C-alpha cells in the first residue's frame, strides 16, 4: 500500500470513507454503542463497493476485538473516542470538528487494518470479506 500508483490504497480509502456511523445507548451498560454501516455507494465502482462492505466487517472486528487479523489497541481506542464524540453531539446538530477529526483518523486506520487482512491476495480476500455482509 506504499506504492504511489497502488490502486489498493485508494480503493480501500474510498470504501472506508463511505461508512456511516450511528450511536445508540445500551440501556444495560449505559455506554454508547457505535455501529458502522454501509453508506451510499450506488455510484461507486464495484471494487469500491466491495471495499465498503469489507470495511463494515473490519469495523465489526474492531468493535468486538476479534477478526481475521490482530486488532491494534490504538485502533480500538480510536473507535471508542469516535463513539464518545458522536454520543456527545446533540441530536440533529451538525458534526463537530472533533468528531470529524476522530472519524478521519479512524477511517485511515481502518483502511490500514483492512489492507493487512487482504494483502496476501487483495482481490480474492476483498471479495471474501465483502460477501460476509448480508445485502
Amino acid at each position: 500500500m506504499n506504492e504511489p500508483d497502488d490502486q489498493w490504497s485508494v480503493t480501500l480509502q474510498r470504501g472506508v470513507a463511505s461508512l456511516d456511523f450511528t450511536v445508540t445507548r445500551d440501556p444495560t451498560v449505559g455506554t454508547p454503542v457505535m455501529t458502522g454501516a454501509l453508506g451510499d455507494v450506488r455510484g461507486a465502482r464495484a471494487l469500491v463497493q466491495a471495499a465498503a462492505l469489507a470495511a463494515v466487517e473490519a469495523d465489526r472486528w474492531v468493535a468486538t476485538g476479534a477478526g481475521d487479523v490482530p486488532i491494534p489497541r490504538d485502533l480500538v481506542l480510536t473507535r471508542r473516542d469516535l463513539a464518545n464524540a458522536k454520543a456527545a453531539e446533540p441530536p440533529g446538530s451538525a458534526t463537530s470538528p472533533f468528531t470529524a477529526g476522530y472519524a478521519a483518523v479512524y477511517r485511515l486506520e481502518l483502511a490500514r487494518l483492512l489492507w493487512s487482512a487482504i494483502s496476501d491476495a487483495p482481490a480474492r480476500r476483498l471479495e471474501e470479506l465483502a460477501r460476509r455482509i448480508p445485502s
Side-chain angles (χ1 to χ4, degrees), residues 94-120:
T95 302
S96 77
F98 292 109
T99 304
Y102 287 130
V105 171
Y106 180 63
R107 284 182 172 117
L108 285 173
E109 293 302 319
L110 195 59
R112 286 190 184 122
L113 177 73
L114 200 48
W115 174 247
S116 68
I118 69 166
S119 61
D120 59 337

Side-chain angles (χ1 to χ4, degrees), residues 61-84:
W61 299 345
V62 179
T64 62
D68 289 6
V69 293
I71 311 299
R73 178 159 169 70
D74 289 346
L75 188 54
V76 173
L77 295 175
T78 301
R79 188 180 193 281
R80 186 199 63 200
D81 291 342
L82 174 58
N84 289 339

